[in-house]
Amino acid sequence: MTTTPTSRLALILTLAFWRAAGIRALRTALVAAAPLLLPLVGGDWGDVAQAAGAIALVAVLSLATSLWSLPELGAGRGPWAAVLDRTARTLGQTLAASLATATLWSDVDWPLVLVQALAAALTTAVLAAAEQLPETIPVVEPDDAGVYDITSLTPEERATVNDIRAIHGRIPRPPS
């Protein structure tokens, strides 16, 4: 789906966008946290500030990439393309955060940084693939008019979907 600058701005100004972007940033930070904090297990607590900075930067980078595009809000791609995109973003965000928080380039432990980024990306891929399992996909049933709609949404989720559809001109916004 192509969005015009006006519709993209309208989407970014919605609570649904910031909720989805915030959830994505938190999830990316949590996925990146494990491999970034793993070296601390060895007892080298001198790198705590660097790890915390990298995790915070991963969250900021996730929010920044959400401003470019957020697949959860209707980019119209297939599920496996979304998994690949999400995995690549996590790899890049973790790698960039690890490198950006290094004091000097000569201090960068390149094999460790690459393993951390790959571990975060692999975790993202596994979690995203698990979301695509048949038992995690909402049930879809036709209504009386033969129109298919998602029936397993909470009222808040349904309101979010309706807001997104209204932004994209698919349906008129229902009265509040």
Side-chain angles (χ1 to χ4, degrees):
M1 175 177 68
T2 331
T3 58
T4 63
T6 305
S7 65
R8 180 179 290 260
L9 179 61
L11 182 63
I12 289 172
L13 294 177
T14 64
L15 179 61
F17 172 84
W18 288 104
R19 180 174 181 251
I23 290 169
R24 170 66 43 232
L26 177 62
R27 182 177 175 152
T28 303
L30 291 174
V31 165
L36 290 172
L37 293 176
L38 198 56
L40 302 177
V41 174
D44 183 11
W45 290 92
D47 293 334
V48 171
Q50 183 179 355
I55 293 167
L57 185 54
V58 163
V60 170
L61 291 172
S62 179
L63 284 172
T65 56
S66 291
L67 290 172
W68 182 254
S69 71
L70 193 63
E72 291 85 350
L73 294 182
R77 290 182 290 163
W80 295 109
V83 168
L84 182 61
D85 179 59
R86 191 178 296 173
T87 301
R89 287 179 189 218
T90 300
L91 175 74
Q93 291 160 354
T94 307
L95 187 60
S98 296
L99 295 175
T101 56
T103 307
L104 299 170
W105 280 102
S106 59
D107 291 343
V108 175
D109 183 357
W110 290 99
L112 179 63
V113 167
L114 291 174
V115 166
Q116 288 171 333
L118 287 171
L122 180 63
T123 304
T124 296
V126 168
L127 290 174
E131 289 175 354
Q132 302 303 320
L133 294 174
E135 57 270 18
T136 63
I137 298 172
V139 176
V140 178
E141 298 173 358
D143 64 6
D144 293 338
V147 176
Y148 286 83
D149 196 12
I150 298 174
T151 59
S152 61
L153 297 178
T154 65
E156 293 83 19
E157 291 170 331
R158 185 173 300 281
T160 300
V161 168
N162 287 337
D163 287 344
I164 293 166
R165 286 178 176 168
I167 289 168
H168 292 289
R170 293 188 184 149
I171 62 167
R173 189 180 301 262
S176 298

